[in-house]
Amino acid sequence: MPRQEETREPGRYSFHYSREERLNAASEQLKRRLGPQSFFRKYRGPLFILLDVLVLAGMFGIYLFLTGDQSTVGLPGYAVTMSGVEFGAQGLVVVRITQLDEHPSFAGSIVTAEVSLDGTDLSAAEKDVMPTRKGRERIFRFVLEPLPGTKTSQSGASSGASRGSRNSFQVTGTVTVEDQSRTLHAPLKPE
């Protein structure tokens, strides 16, 4: 398109703009700034968003690492886990002690496992001997009944767990061997 002169006559306004002409007339300093941009300058906004997401993911990972799974704890040479399920009007809880080392310090010692339903007076305890060989387990099974807010029929069988909108139950367990004691927390999952 041929270049047209600018006019300012009344009733006849025209203006010509050419980016190429304007860039050719620019100084060297301006040409360097307008030239090809680095990746970080070109995508500054999305990079800040990506950085924010990475920082949040890192913070969440640190939170998970620090809080950990409270239904699994360790004793020297052993792993202790606890899980529970709500079955009608009963709470069924399992505490499992697994020997991890070949020669742990507590092999053959007496272990006491206690569980209680948080916010209630339901509790149970058992004693047994720690496992003595690597890979062996000692399993404690507890029945906590009747769970608060559940209905039971005359025969003792469950007629449905109608607790309304109450949150799930939490179980606290304590495992004690000699002078070592560990506390576990786990939800009582609905059946």
Side-chain angles (χ1 to χ4, degrees):
M1 174 187 229
R3 182 174 177 173
Q4 299 175 357
E5 292 296 320
E6 295 182 18
T7 60
R8 295 177 191 236
E9 297 172 9
R12 239 185 102 194
Y13 297 104
S14 73
F15 177 74
H16 172 74
Y17 175 79
S18 172
R19 180 172 174 78
E20 293 82 24
E21 288 177 13
R22 188 152 183 210
L23 289 176
N24 288 336
S27 68
E28 284 299 315
Q29 183 182 8
L30 184 60
K31 284 182 183 178
R32 270 187 269 125
R33 275 190 26 191
L34 295 176
Q37 294 180 348
S38 70
F39 180 78
F40 296 107
R41 284 189 136 220
K42 193 173 184 180
Y43 299 106
R44 182 177 293 173
L47 282 174
F48 276 117
I49 292 172
L50 178 64
L51 182 65
D52 290 344
V53 169
L54 290 176
V55 166
L56 288 175
M59 289 172 54
F60 183 68
I62 291 170
Y63 169 76
L64 289 179
F65 176 75
L66 292 177
T67 58
D69 181 15
Q70 295 182 342
S71 64
T72 302
V73 295
L75 280 168
Y78 295 92
V80 183
T81 61
M82 181 174 71
S83 61
V85 66
E86 179 183 340
F87 187 75
Q90 297 177 331
L92 308 175
V93 181
V94 174
V95 175
R96 179 177 306 215
I97 302 172
T98 307
Q99 183 172 335
L100 302 175
D101 293 344
E102 195 65 42
H103 302 287
S105 57
F106 298 124
S109 299
I110 300 295
V111 59
T112 303
E114 302 174 49
V115 296
S116 62
L117 192 63
D118 292 355
T120 68
D121 58 350
L122 291 176
S123 63
E126 280 188 31
K127 288 186 178 186
D128 206 338
V129 178
M130 290 292 276
T132 56
R133 283 188 273 174
K134 184 176 181 177
R136 292 293 174 110
E137 296 180 333
R138 183 70 63 226
I139 299 174
F140 296 93
R141 293 178 177 89
F142 300 98
V143 177
L144 302 174
E145 63 179 338
L147 293 176
T150 58
K151 295 180 182 177
T152 55
S153 64
Q154 302 278 340
S155 64
S158 173
S159 63
S162 58
R163 296 182 318 184
S165 63
R166 188 186 186 297
N167 292 332
S168 65
F169 295 108
Q170 283 290 115
V171 180
T172 300
T174 305
V175 175
T176 307
V177 182
E178 295 178 4
D179 62 342
Q180 299 278 327
S181 182
R182 299 292 187 270
T183 302
L184 303 104
H185 300 279
L188 206 55
K189 299 174 183 170
E191 61 179 322

